[in-house]
Amino acid sequence: MLQILSVIGDKWSILVIGQLRDGTLRFGELHRAVKGISQRMLTLTLRQLERDGLVTRTVHPSVPPRVDYALTELGTTLLDSVVALGHWATAHRQEITTHRRRYDAARRP
Amino acid sequence: MLQILSVIGDKWSILVIGQLRDGTLRFGELHRAVKGISQRMLTLTLRQLERDGLVTRTVHPSVPPRVDYALTELGTTLLDSVVALGHWATAHRQEITTHRRRYDAARRP
DNA sequence: CCGTATCCTCGTCGATACTG
DNA sequence: CAGTATCGACGAGGATACGG
């Protein structure tokens, strides 16, 4: 069970899956879309997702090389929960930061 | 945005919130319910959740001491997404492990 | 019972440099 | 363009001991 949570408990995984909701993206496009992720972590995250059967990796033997990533059917089923989390996060972001400030203010007089 | 994902991107947070879905729990009860968590991490996780306004902490001044934790209204709204993730995880656990074995077998001949 | 305080150890991640 | 390799720093987190 903890093994499965590691799939979704990784923030990069969630963000990458979220980006793939509208269809196929290239490596570089993902790199630009997911702000703050390093090339290394993007590679590792995609490998992980591919290993778990959540995304497909398609290499086009061209020059320059082109690699496309897309959600599998299994990945799409997860997407619903992920977007729900995304909605929750954006909906309550302000509320949470307010709580944090209040909490910190109470403990640092 | 990444700050908010840190709330749910932590596996302990997710597990703790999941345990609180049926109501109030004491510290020790949570400690036993969430398998594998250390006392230290449970404390830190609960402080984090309290700081974010997802959990209330109620100290009963008795001997021995008793501390109850419960979800706030905000925490309950998150619970829906969390249980959705939980359902997804249990529903596809087998499928994912199968993918993993297949992937590993293909790369380790 | 419910913590806090230390210490110490792993793994994780970013930076950088280099290939096909 | 899309990676792989290497390294070094950093912090999460377990173990332990102790306090209210």
Side-chain angles (χ1 to χ4, degrees):
Chain A
M1 185 61 179
L2 289 183
Q3 335 284 341
I4 306 302
L5 273 182
S6 70
V7 181
I8 50 192
D10 179 29
K11 69 176 179 185
W12 293 130
S13 297
I14 294 180
L15 294 174
V16 167
I17 289 174
Q19 287 300 325
L20 290 174
R21 73 175 168 280
D22 294 330
T24 300
L25 284 181
R26 303 183 54 175
F27 182 89
E29 292 172 331
L30 277 171
H31 194 23
R32 280 184 294 276
V34 182
K35 292 299 181 188
I37 194 172
S38 65
Q39 197 177 26
R40 182 176 178 274
M41 286 316 295
L42 180 56
T43 300
L44 292 177
T45 301
L46 288 169
R47 287 290 177 282
Q48 179 77 44
L49 293 175
E50 185 194 4
R51 186 171 102 105
D52 292 339
L54 299 176
V55 305
T56 58
R57 177 174 183 268
T58 310
V59 180
H60 298 89
S62 58
V63 178
R66 175 194 183 95
V67 182
D68 287 336
Y69 293 92
L71 288 179
T72 63
E73 194 172 342
L74 178 59
T76 310
T77 65
L78 176 56
L79 184 62
D80 296 338
S81 298
V82 168
V83 296
L85 275 180
H87 287 156
W88 184 91
T90 54
H92 298 93
R93 176 176 42 195
Q94 198 56 53
E95 193 172 354
I96 288 180
T97 54
T98 300
H99 270 108
R100 285 183 182 173
R101 264 199 296 273
R102 204 177 303 163
Y103 184 92
D104 293 346
R107 295 179 62 96
R108 292 185 181 270
Chain B
M1 184 63 181
L2 290 183
Q3 335 283 343
I4 306 302
L5 273 183
S6 71
V7 180
I8 52 192
D10 179 29
K11 69 175 179 185
W12 293 131
S13 296
I14 294 180
L15 293 174
V16 167
I17 289 174
Q19 288 299 327
L20 290 175
R21 71 175 168 281
D22 294 329
T24 300
L25 284 181
R26 302 183 55 178
F27 183 88
E29 291 172 332
L30 276 171
H31 194 21
R32 281 184 295 274
V34 181
K35 292 296 182 189
I37 195 173
S38 64
Q39 196 180 28
R40 182 177 177 273
M41 286 316 295
L42 180 55
T43 300
L44 292 178
T45 301
L46 288 169
R47 288 290 177 282
Q48 178 76 43
L49 293 175
E50 187 194 4
R51 185 172 102 106
D52 292 339
L54 301 175
V55 158
T56 57
R57 177 174 184 267
T58 310
V59 180
H60 298 89
S62 57
V63 179
R66 175 193 183 95
V67 183
D68 288 337
Y69 293 93
L71 289 180
T72 63
E73 193 171 344
L74 178 60
T76 310
T77 65
L78 176 57
L79 183 63
D80 297 337
S81 298
V82 169
V83 296
L85 276 179
H87 288 154
W88 184 92
T90 55
H92 299 93
R93 176 175 43 195
Q94 197 56 52
E95 193 173 352
I96 287 180
T97 54
T98 301
H99 269 108
R100 284 183 183 174
R101 266 199 295 273
R102 203 178 303 164
Y103 184 93
D104 293 346
R107 296 179 63 97
R108 292 186 181 269

